[in-house]
Amino acid sequence: AAGGDANALDRVDQAIAFYEASLAGSELDAQIVLRLGKLYGSRISRLASSGRPAAANAAWTAAIRFTARAAKQHPSEVWQQAAAIAESALGKGLASQGLVDAGRIALTASLERAPSSDAYESLTTIDVQTARFKDAQRWAAAGIALLTDATAGDRYRRAKLERLAADALRQAG
C-alpha cells in the first residue's frame, strides 16, 4: 500500500524501495513484481530522457541485480518480465539520446528475457529511421504475432506496428 501511495505522489524511488522491501521477505505476488518492473522502467526512462545515460544504466543494473536475487528466492518467470520492462526502457531511453546501437542492444536483450510488443515497436521504429527496412519488417511481424484482437490495447499496438511496417515498405520502395 505504501508503494502505491508513493507512486501516486510520483516518488518513484521511494515506491521502488517499498515494493522491493515487500517482495524481499514475503510470498511472490506477480502483480507487485510487474508494478515494480513498470516503476523500474519509469525511473530508467526519466534518467535516460534527461540526458543521463550513465545514471539510467546504473538504475538498470540495480534493477537486474534485485530481480536476479529475488528470482533465486522465489523462482518465477514474472521476474524476467520485470527485468525485460526495465531493459526495454533503457533501450528506448538510450536510443532517444542518440545512442542507437546501445539502445538496439538493450532492446534486443529485453526480447530475449521476455518478448513484448513495446520492444518490438521500438526496434521497428529505430530500424525504419536508420533505413534498415528488412529488419524493421522482421521486428514488426514478430510484434504483431504476439498480439491478439481481444483487447482495444492489442488492436492499437497492432495498428501501430502495421503502420511502421508500411512505412518501412514505402521507404524501401
Side-chain angles (χ1 to χ4, degrees):
D5 291 345
N7 188 30
L9 293 171
D10 204 29
R11 295 181 179 197
V12 174
D13 290 337
Q14 188 177 29
I16 288 171
F18 283 133
Y19 281 130
E20 286 179 346
S22 74
L23 289 166
S26 66
E27 288 187 28
L28 179 68
D29 184 336
Q31 293 296 344
I32 291 178
V33 173
L34 292 175
R35 284 185 205 146
L36 180 61
K38 289 178 184 176
L39 287 167
Y40 286 146
S42 177
R43 176 171 57 181
I44 292 165
S45 292
R46 286 180 184 183
L47 291 168
S49 297
S50 64
R52 299 178 59 201
N57 199 23
W60 169 76
T61 301
I64 295 303
R65 279 191 194 130
F66 179 82
T67 56
R69 191 172 53 249
K72 287 180 183 175
Q73 290 177 324
H74 303 288
S76 173
E77 288 188 25
V78 74
W79 294 109
Q80 289 298 323
Q81 290 176 310
I85 293 168
E87 199 157 27
S88 179
L90 177 66
K92 287 170 43 175
L94 293 174
S96 75
Q97 296 300 304
L99 302 169
V100 176
D101 291 335
R104 183 180 283 116
I105 290 168
L107 286 162
T108 304
S110 80
L111 290 174
E112 291 173 10
R113 289 182 191 280
S116 74
S117 61
D118 186 47
Y120 282 120
E121 179 187 331
S122 297
L123 283 164
T124 304
T125 301
I126 290 169
D127 285 343
V128 167
Q129 293 175 350
T130 57
R132 294 179 179 195
F133 304 121
K134 195 173 205 175
D135 289 339
Q137 285 293 313
R138 185 172 48 91
W139 295 126
I144 290 168
L146 284 180
L147 302 169
T148 65
D149 284 334
T151 66
D154 278 0
R155 288 188 296 275
Y156 174 75
R157 287 181 201 91
R158 177 186 295 276
K160 285 177 73 174
L161 283 165
E162 288 173 344
R163 182 191 53 83
L164 288 167
D167 287 347
L169 286 172
R170 182 178 45 82
Q171 290 181 24

